[in-house]
Amino acid sequence: MKKFYSLFLAMLLVVGVLAGCGETKTESNNKEQSTQQEAAFPVTIKDALDQDVVIEKKPEKIVSLMPSNTEIVFALGLGEELVGVSDYDNYPKEAAEKEKVGGMEFNVEKIIALNPDVVLAHASSAHNSTEGLQQIRDAGIEVVVVNDAASFEDVYKSMEMIGQATGTETEADKLVADMKEKLAAIKDKAAAISDSDQKSVYIEVSGEPSIFTTGKNTFMQEMLDTINAKNIISEEGWVQVDQEAVIAANPDVIITTYGAYSETSPIDQISSRKGWEEIKAVKEKHIVDVDSDMVTRSGPRLVEGVEAVAEAVYPDVFK
């Protein structure tokens, strides 16, 4: 019996030592990673306004002025460092708990009062807020204007820029690699779709009275290319819809992206339009509303957007 207890105590001691070593190793790794991140500073970033922004040390407090920036910041594991976000930020859910600093017209005084180390602005709105951004700079706060992404490659650049500005370049590289891997898997699956099975698609990004769709050189076009589907719209950018042209094109599938922001169902709107009842997608009830934020925000969820579009167009292949 004494031998048994001696052996039992010895085993407990070994387990305790191993556990202690494991904790020490984890702490050591975290400390080493933190040291490496600090060593990367100061860093000079060429932002979207072609300005050299010098960040002296790893930011401990960050303000984001764009939902896509915020989603990237959270994906990089910097949710704790984020102290302020725009009024439109709704993902992840933790973003709703952050201090709101305004929308297109942000509150300069509130941002300065939060005393961030860096403010992540955005090229899409920077030209409308030149004075406000300069006030923030004059207060001694660094401002990085992130590029307005129009393609997946542009999104990768946004992630890399934010990663560089926040000392999370390794995490940004992993995030980009993960997105590329998932997109490649979707492309591989779509490659099996023959030309005869390829679907034609009409995408509606806003309903009546001013109906708009999306054409070439947009995320939605890149998504359709990725899943081997054909966009019935040949114009570039965001296009006001010619209803007769849509009816004539007779798309196999209709995708809408504004259901969450509309008082009435976009599917009901489309199905009840005069003349649209002859469109194949309407006849076969192949109208699908997808999450607008996933397919329009230039952040890490774009891959989920591609998956949603793929399931909407080719449910038999991608579900």
Side-chain angles (χ1 to χ4, degrees), residues 3 46 53 67 76 159 170 241 296 300 306-307 316:
K3 288 184 180 180
K46 181 79 74 175
V53 183
L76 294 176
M159 292 176 171
T170 300
V241 170
T296 58
V306 178
E307 291 171 343
D316 294 338

Side-chain angles (χ1 to χ4, degrees), residues 57-254:
K57 62 184 181 69
K58 179 176 170 59
E60 296 178 358
K61 297 170 72 178
I62 302 166
V63 167
S64 167
L65 302 182
M66 184 64 64
S68 56
N69 288 347
T70 299
E71 293 198 20
I72 293 172
V73 168
F74 271 102
L76 294 176
L78 297 169
E80 290 295 321
E81 287 82 351
L82 196 62
V83 296
V85 298
S86 84
D87 292 348
Y88 309 115
D89 289 39
N90 58 2
Y91 188 91
K93 62 181 181 181
E94 291 82 4
E97 301 169 4
K98 300 295 182 178
E99 192 73 32
K100 301 295 184 180
V101 298
M104 297 299 290
E105 295 183 4
F106 50 80
N107 189 323
V108 175
E109 291 76 16
K110 194 170 190 179
I111 292 171
I112 294 174
L114 289 171
N115 194 32
D117 300 300
V118 64
V119 170
L120 299 174
H122 200 264
S124 64
S125 58
H127 62 286
N128 291 326
S129 52
T130 303
E131 186 177 337
L133 293 178
Q134 190 56 50
Q135 284 180 270
I136 294 171
R137 295 187 188 98
D138 292 342
I141 301 167
E142 300 300 338
V143 175
V144 176
V145 180
V146 180
N147 59 304
D148 185 14
S151 67
F152 279 97
E153 285 299 325
D154 288 343
V155 174
Y156 302 150
K157 290 176 183 176
S158 299
M159 292 176 171
E160 289 162 356
M161 183 184 295
I162 293 175
Q164 187 182 15
T166 58
T168 55
E169 289 183 90
T170 300
E171 290 81 355
D173 289 342
K174 288 179 181 177
L175 192 58
V176 170
D178 183 56
M179 286 184 69
K180 288 182 176 180
E181 183 179 348
K182 289 178 179 177
L183 279 175
I186 295 171
K187 284 184 178 180
D188 287 344
K189 190 174 284 190
I193 299 168
S194 66
D195 290 343
S196 60
D197 290 329
Q198 187 184 50
K199 301 288 187 181
S200 60
V201 183
Y202 162 67
I203 301 170
E204 189 165 289
V205 296
S206 68
E208 296 177 284
S210 297
I211 306 173
F212 273 83
T213 185
T214 177
K216 308 299 182 186
N217 296 326
T218 62
F219 279 123
M220 294 302 297
Q221 179 63 57
E222 193 167 359
M223 289 179 179
L224 292 179
D225 291 340
T226 299
I227 67 169
N228 194 17
K230 180 183 178 182
N231 191 350
I232 67 165
I233 304 300
S234 58
E235 295 93 336
E236 290 196 2
W238 307 97
V239 183
Q240 190 157 12
V241 170
D242 176 350
Q243 295 197 42
E244 293 301 323
V246 175
I247 295 169
N250 194 29
D252 299 306
V253 183
I254 294 176

